[in-house]
Amino acid sequence: MTIDDENAIKDLAHRQLTAWADGDGQAFAGTFTHDADFIAANGELIQTREALALSMQEGFDGFMKGTRMSEAQHTHIRFPAPGTAVMITIGNCVLRDGATQCRTEDLSQQTRVAVRTNEGWLFTSFHNSRVRPRL
């Protein structure tokens, strides 16, 4: 894999931040494959790009209205096989009510699996959870 591949995957994640800030469920889901699996922070499993677009738009129009997703504090990308990447982001959060910094208790970590498709790099799997201190 090349630096261009790594940059393309980082760009996908940045497109998600932009779509979130714009309240655009279709654009957010457009960073995923048609058969994507998405596990939200609450444990909900959403399958397919179409279902993800609907679910995200519901959130953007409702309880997530006016929120933004912060940049991650740490990003790690590796390429375990040709055309496949794993991206782990740690230390981001949903920013509400004009906040500019994440509260410690709101920090999340995500694992995304990206694949190279005819449409370019797209995420095919996403799992979100809270950051918890090591025991």
Side-chain angles (χ1 to χ4, degrees):
M1 299 295 115
T2 68
I3 192 72
D4 289 338
D5 293 315
E6 187 171 320
N7 287 336
I9 292 162
K10 287 178 180 178
D11 182 60
L12 271 181
H14 184 55
R15 285 173 41 203
Q16 290 179 339
L17 297 181
T18 300
W20 191 299
D22 292 343
D24 189 340
Q26 194 71 29
F28 186 91
T31 64
F32 288 88
T33 60
H34 290 282
D35 62 348
D37 297 306
F38 183 98
I39 300 175
N42 67 359
E44 178 184 8
L45 172 63
I46 304 165
Q47 294 180 295
T48 77
R49 182 191 289 175
E50 182 180 341
L52 181 57
L54 292 172
S55 179
M56 293 302 291
Q57 196 59 58
E58 261 182 26
F60 293 145
D61 291 343
F63 75 98
M64 298 186 305
K65 188 173 186 131
T67 64
R68 299 171 331 283
M69 181 61 64
S70 73
E71 295 279 347
Q73 295 171 0
H74 174 76
T75 299
H76 173 73
I77 299 173
R78 65 184 180 87
F79 297 91
T84 304
V86 175
M87 171 187 247
I88 296 175
T89 53
I90 300 172
N92 64 324
C93 73
V94 174
L95 296 169
R96 301 178 187 279
D97 302 323
T100 58
Q101 293 184 336
C102 298
R103 300 180 315 168
T104 301
E105 62 269 23
D106 294 336
L107 292 174
S108 288
Q109 55 195 354
Q110 294 89 28
T111 301
R112 295 169 177 88
V113 177
V115 292
R116 189 190 324 248
T117 71
N118 292 338
E119 299 174 64
W121 284 98
L122 292 171
F123 296 122
T124 193
S125 182
F126 175 93
H127 186 256
N128 189 13
S129 63
R130 292 281 186 232
V131 172
R132 298 289 182 236
R134 289 185 140 172
L135 299 176

